[in-house]
Amino acid sequence: MSRLRPLLLLAGGTAVVATTLGVGGYVLVKPYMMPADFEGAGSGTVTVKIDEGATAREIASVLADAGVVASARSFVRVTEEQAKGKSLRPGYFKLRKGMSAAAALKLLVAPESRVVRRVTIPEGLRLTELLDKVATGTGMRRAEFAKATADRQELDLPAYAESAEGFLFPATYEVEPDMAPAEVLAAMVERYRHAAGELDLEEKAAKVRLTPLEVVTVASILQAEGGRDSDYPKIARVIYNRIRARMPLQLDTTVLYAQKRRSLKVTEKDTRVKSPYNTYLRPGLPPGPIANPGEKALRAALHPDQGDWLWFVTTDPEHRITKFTDKESEFVRYREELNRYLGTR
C-alpha cells in the first residue's frame, strides 16, 4: 500500500483536495472553498463598536454583519496570517463598507481610525472652569456634567472628599461616543485615586499633620499660586510654618476663589470679603480645595522643603519668579516689586 499523498487541484476557482489510495484504489475529493472576500478599500463610511475583550472571531462577525467585510472567515484568516490578533483594540472605529479583509484589518489597527475625542484638562482649573472645558471638548451638555458632580456614588469620590472640587485629576482623556458625562468625570476621579495611591497620600498626610482633604487643599493652593514646579515645596513650607505660628495664611488665591474671579490684583477691600475661603480673615486652611491639582503639587504638599520662610511673593508672574523670606521687611519690599510689575500692565 502506498502512502497517502494529498493533491491540491483547482477547479473553477474552488480549491479541491484529492487523496489517492494506491493502484486500484479510489479517489476521495473534498471541496475547500476560499472564504469570500471583497477587493479594494471599500466606499462610504460605517462606524463599528469593538467590545472590550472581543476575540478576532467575534470582531470578524461584527465586521461581516456591518457589511465591512464579505465574510467573517476572510477577516480571521488575514488576522492569523499577519499575526495581528493582539493588536486589535476595543472602541469605536470608522471603517468603510465592502472592504477587503486586509484593508479592514489595516484600518482597525490604525490609531486615526478610532472614533474618540481627546480632552486635555490642565492643572489648576477650578471646577466651574473644568466643566466648561470638558463640555466644549466632548460636545456634551455642560448642565449634564454639572448634574453629575452631585452624584458622589456615581463618581466614586473618596470618602474624605466633600465635593468634586480638587478630585478631577488633570490629564488627557479619551472620550468615546457612548460615554455619559458621569463616566467622563468618574474617569478623572479614578485617575486621582491612582495618583493618590502612588503617592501614598492617605498615610503620608498624617506625617505632615494634615487630613487627606487638607493635603489636597494645600496642593490646590500650590497649583493656584503658580510659579515654577520647584517652588511648590517651598510654598508648602510657608503654609505649614504660618499654620504652626498661628498666623493667617493671607493668600490672594483663596480670596479670588471666594470672589469667583481671576486677577493678579487684589485690593484691601477684596481681603475683607466675607467667605470661609478668605484666609486673610479666617485662620488656617480654607474648608476645601480651590482648584484641581496635579501630581507635582500633591507631592509637594506631602514633601515640603525645609526652611523658616513665612512669606512668599511672585514678584514677576510673567517669568514665574517667586521670592521667599522669613523677614517681614523683605516681604514688604517684595510686595513693592510686584506692585511695580502690576503698574506696568
Side-chain angles (χ1 to χ4, degrees):
M1 175 88 56
S2 64
R3 297 178 61 185
L4 298 176
R5 293 183 294 112
L7 177 64
L8 184 63
L9 307 175
L10 292 178
T14 300
V16 179
V17 177
T19 304
T20 60
L21 300 179
V23 179
Y26 58 90
V27 178
L28 176 65
V29 179
K30 181 176 69 174
Y32 181 78
M33 298 292 295
M34 294 292 289
D37 196 2
F38 293 129
E39 293 184 359
S43 61
T45 60
V46 58
T47 300
V48 298
K49 181 185 179 183
I50 305 302
D51 292 329
E52 183 78 37
T55 65
R57 292 182 183 279
E58 291 169 336
I59 294 172
S61 295
V62 171
L63 299 181
D65 290 343
V68 175
V69 296
S71 67
R73 285 181 56 206
S74 64
F75 182 80
V76 171
R77 180 177 61 83
V78 170
T79 302
E80 291 175 346
E81 287 177 353
Q82 297 187 19
K84 294 283 189 178
K86 292 184 178 180
S87 299
L88 299 172
R89 296 288 181 268
Y92 286 82
F93 295 85
K94 185 175 290 186
L95 305 175
R96 294 183 286 272
K97 289 197 173 187
M99 304 182 73
S100 70
L105 178 61
K106 184 177 180 180
L107 270 189
L108 270 183
V109 298
E112 61 270 18
S113 298
R114 192 170 175 214
V115 181
V116 63
R117 292 195 178 191
R118 290 177 176 83
V119 181
T120 298
I121 303 300
E123 292 91 345
L125 291 184
R126 297 170 184 167
L127 178 60
T128 53
E129 297 165 337
L130 186 149
L131 296 183
D132 290 340
K133 183 82 172 178
V134 72
T136 300
T138 61
M140 300 179 191
R141 294 179 58 199
R142 187 190 185 283
E144 293 300 314
F145 281 107
K147 181 180 178 181
T149 61
D151 194 333
R152 295 181 55 89
Q153 185 174 356
E154 186 73 17
L155 296 188
D156 194 25
L157 287 169
Y160 53 82
E162 296 186 358
S163 74
E165 183 79 274
F167 300 94
L168 301 176
F169 199 81
T172 297
Y173 295 90
E174 293 188 340
V175 181
E176 296 190 330
D178 63 345
M179 290 183 71
E183 291 180 275
V184 178
L185 298 183
M188 297 180 186
V189 176
E190 182 180 359
R191 182 66 184 80
Y192 163 80
R193 284 183 172 277
H194 176 77
E198 290 286 309
L199 295 170
D200 199 12
L201 186 146
E202 293 190 34
E203 182 176 331
K204 289 184 177 176
K207 294 184 179 180
V208 289
R209 300 178 181 179
L210 298 177
T211 66
L213 176 61
E214 288 172 332
V215 167
V216 179
T217 300
V218 170
S220 73
I221 293 172
L222 305 183
Q223 197 79 72
E225 289 291 342
R228 300 171 179 171
D229 294 349
S230 59
D231 291 331
Y232 292 164
K234 292 182 180 180
I235 298 174
R237 176 49 63 193
V238 171
I239 291 172
Y240 298 152
N241 285 348
R242 290 183 74 91
I243 290 175
R244 189 177 300 116
R246 298 183 183 279
M247 298 172 66
L249 297 182
Q250 297 183 327
L251 296 165
D252 291 353
T253 49
T254 63
V255 171
L256 292 168
Y257 182 81
Q259 296 177 319
K260 299 181 180 179
R261 69 187 184 97
R262 287 192 181 273
S263 174
L264 291 174
K265 297 181 180 180
V266 174
T267 67
E268 184 177 346
K269 181 181 178 181
D270 292 329
T271 63
R272 295 196 297 269
V273 64
K274 293 182 178 180
S275 168
Y277 287 89
N278 185 349
T279 53
Y280 280 85
L281 300 179
R282 184 182 184 276
L285 291 168
I290 64 171
N292 289 275
E295 185 172 347
K296 291 178 181 178
L298 289 169
R299 186 182 300 278
L302 293 170
H303 302 280
D305 275 355
Q306 295 303 311
D308 297 325
W309 313 293
L310 289 170
W311 292 272
F312 70 92
V313 180
T314 301
T315 57
D316 186 344
E318 182 180 356
H319 298 95
R320 300 192 300 171
I321 296 174
T322 302
K323 297 182 179 180
F324 299 81
T325 183
D326 60 353
K327 297 179 177 61
E328 189 170 6
S329 59
E330 288 187 344
F331 164 68
V332 172
R333 190 166 72 249
Y334 295 159
R335 286 290 300 188
E336 290 173 351
E337 284 186 43
L338 174 60
N339 289 336
R340 286 196 295 272
Y341 171 92
L342 295 176
T344 65
R345 294 299 184 267

